[in-house]
Every structure is written in structure tokens, then in C-alpha cells.
Amino acid sequence: MSNNTTRPDWGKLFASLLTEPGKLGEHYRLFHRYSLGNQAMAVFEMTIRGIPIGPISSFNGWKRLGRRVKKGEKAIALWMPVVKKDAIRKDDGTDEEVTKRFFIMKNNWFALAQTEPIDPENPGTVPIPETPTWDRELALKNLGITEVPFTEVDGNRQGFARPDRAEIAINPLAAMPWKTTFHEMAHCLLHSKQADVAFVDGGHINRSIEEAEAEAVAFLCCATLGLPGLEEARGYVQDWLGSPAQAEEFAKKSVARVFAAADKILKAGSKAGEGVDHE
């Protein structure tokens, strides 16, 4: 094929996605998981102080991630649980130890925008690799998808999509921003209210299937373009599907949707301006 690049066998790749071992990346567990109340408080405080909304962590937490708090930055206040043990004298004259748990407000946290790399030569962000056949910005433009700032407090989230608005956001600290880009693009193509989100038997897609579909699209795109992340994608899909029975059902009902979305994404970013072929 003159201008087209031969693509790998997607049928075999899709089968391997469900059967070969995978792993869940450590990047899903790097940050503390804050309560919804604390997340709301952090967003409110960042907003009134004019700090760009983004992931938060403690002083030492950022240090472990290779970042430091900028000089002069004031910490964000959140509720922090405190456990205190007291001895209570019982009627028989003996002491009984009781544990009390309460919350206090502490100024211990900082937003990403309040930090900087400890080593300027190693900023801690992963660049998106360039590929000879596919252009990210071209794909976004051709698909009508807009990239917006990442405004999530939870740094474990790699990105998010607003399918009905055709918007995606990628965490500046995402471990594999290229894979996350494919994943969020897939949500926009497959899971908006305007998209056909019903299975062939009329059953509607639940959250686990949506996540598995989006990651399966990312898996095929990464495999086709020779990008890393296949083992992590397998782990993500298998974790969301949860059981061999649901994986089998997924293989039957979602394969055509996944292939179509991956093909559309690859064509949209094709530098050759022509179709994307796969065997």
C-alpha cells in the first residue's frame, strides 16, 4: 500500500487484551484519596485565592514526586482526622482505654500550580512521543474535540472527558499522556448522549463497559502506533470487566464499536491524509 501503513491484526490484539496478563500502573495510587468534602474545600480555596485548580498533595508528598513548594506559597486548609487514646476509670476501679476520632483543620496541602520541579532538567512530566504517521493536534481538530485544562483535585486521575461537550483534559502529571488522550477521545466518540450507546441486544452500557471500551480503543491505538502502555491497558480493562463472563460478553458486543472508534481516531490524525488500514 503506497501511502498507507500496514497495521497489526486487530482481532488478535483484541483477544490478547482480554487474555494476556496485564498490570495496573502505580500512577493510580500515587496521591492520597481525599474525601469529597475535602476536595470541595480545596476547589473553593483555590478558586478564591486565584490558584489554578489541579491535583493537591502535602509538602512531603510533592517532594516524593520530584517537586517542591515554591517559596512564599501558603498551604491549603483541609479537615484532617486525628485519633486520640484516653483512659477511662470504670466503676470497678480499673482503667479502660478508649479511642476517640475527631477532625481538625490543618494547613498542610499545596496545589500543583504552587510547586515546581526539584530538578529543572527532570520536570516530572512525561512528554507525548511524536509518531511518524499520526498527529495529535490534527486528530483533535478533525474530530472536533477540544482540550481543556485539567481541573481535578485527585492527582490519581489521569484525565477526564466531557463527551456531550466533546472536551477532554489530560493530567499534566499523567504517566502515559498519549494513552490517556486516546482513552478520553474514545469516550467522546462512543459515550456522548448523541452517540449510539446501546448494545445490539438493546441493553445500555454501564460504567465498567464504558471504561473498558475507551481503554480498548487506547490499547489498539498504542499498539498500532508502536507506543508504550499495552500491559497497563490490559490491566485496566481486565480490572473493570472483573470476570471472564463479563469479558466474554464484552468481546461479543463491544468489538465492532472499539474497532470503529480506534480507526476513526487514527484516520483523524493521519499525517498522510489517507485512510488507516489494519489487517
Side-chain angles (χ1 to χ4, degrees), residues 180-248:
T180 302
T181 297
F182 297 137
H183 180 107
E184 306 306 347
M185 282 182 170
H187 276 311
C188 288
L189 295 179
L190 293 172
H191 305 135
S192 71
K193 292 178 182 177
Q194 291 76 32
D196 179 13
V197 294
F199 282 147
V200 291
D201 65 353
H204 290 281
I205 298 175
N206 60 31
R207 171 75 187 282
S208 63
I209 299 300
E210 288 183 346
E211 289 300 318
E213 284 188 340
E215 192 70 358
V217 171
F219 175 84
L220 291 180
C221 290
C222 287
T224 300
L225 296 174
L227 295 172
L230 304 189
E231 187 178 13
E232 290 79 5
R234 290 196 296 269
Y236 189 94
V237 169
Q238 292 167 19
D239 185 65
W240 272 103
L241 293 178
S243 69
Q246 188 156 345
E248 184 177 353

